Amino acid sequence: MSSIDKMKLLMELDRKGSKLKITSIRDEVYICRLHAPAEDEDDWAYDIVTLDNPPKHFILECNYIKSIEEL
């Protein structure tokens, strides 16, 4: 899946307000909600907020994402 395809999927899931499980190319797993598309110079990216306690807020580049699952 290309970065633009991942971005389109993230935007669709964001509109639905879905909770997600995102796995990175390094096999890091994030249970999160999407915040907003992010500006990035190198690739498509999305602001995410993890459901950890306390939550973490960061930008995740689409080329860093291995898989996206809706929970």
Side-chain angles (χ1 to χ4, degrees):
M1 182 182 287
S2 71
S3 288
I4 189 127
D5 292 332
K6 292 174 191 173
M7 188 67 171
K8 287 178 182 176
L9 177 58
L10 291 171
M11 290 173 75
E12 177 185 324
L13 294 169
D14 188 11
R15 280 190 291 275
K16 290 172 59 178
S18 299
K19 182 167 67 170
L20 304 177
K21 175 183 174 186
I22 296 177
T23 305
S24 76
I25 58 173
R26 294 185 182 156
D27 290 324
E28 299 163 321
V29 176
Y30 305 105
I31 305 300
C32 61
R33 292 215 184 266
L34 300 170
H35 180 67
E39 302 234 359
D40 189 275
E41 295 178 14
D42 298 328
D43 191 30
W44 295 94
Y46 226 93
D47 282 327
I48 68 169
V49 179
T50 66
L51 299 180
D52 299 330
N53 190 9
K56 296 174 191 141
H57 185 207
F58 59 94
I59 295 173
L60 189 59
E61 293 181 3
C62 289
N63 63 359
Y64 188 69
I65 297 172
K66 180 165 63 171
S67 67
I68 303 165
E69 297 175 49
E70 185 176 11
L71 300 177

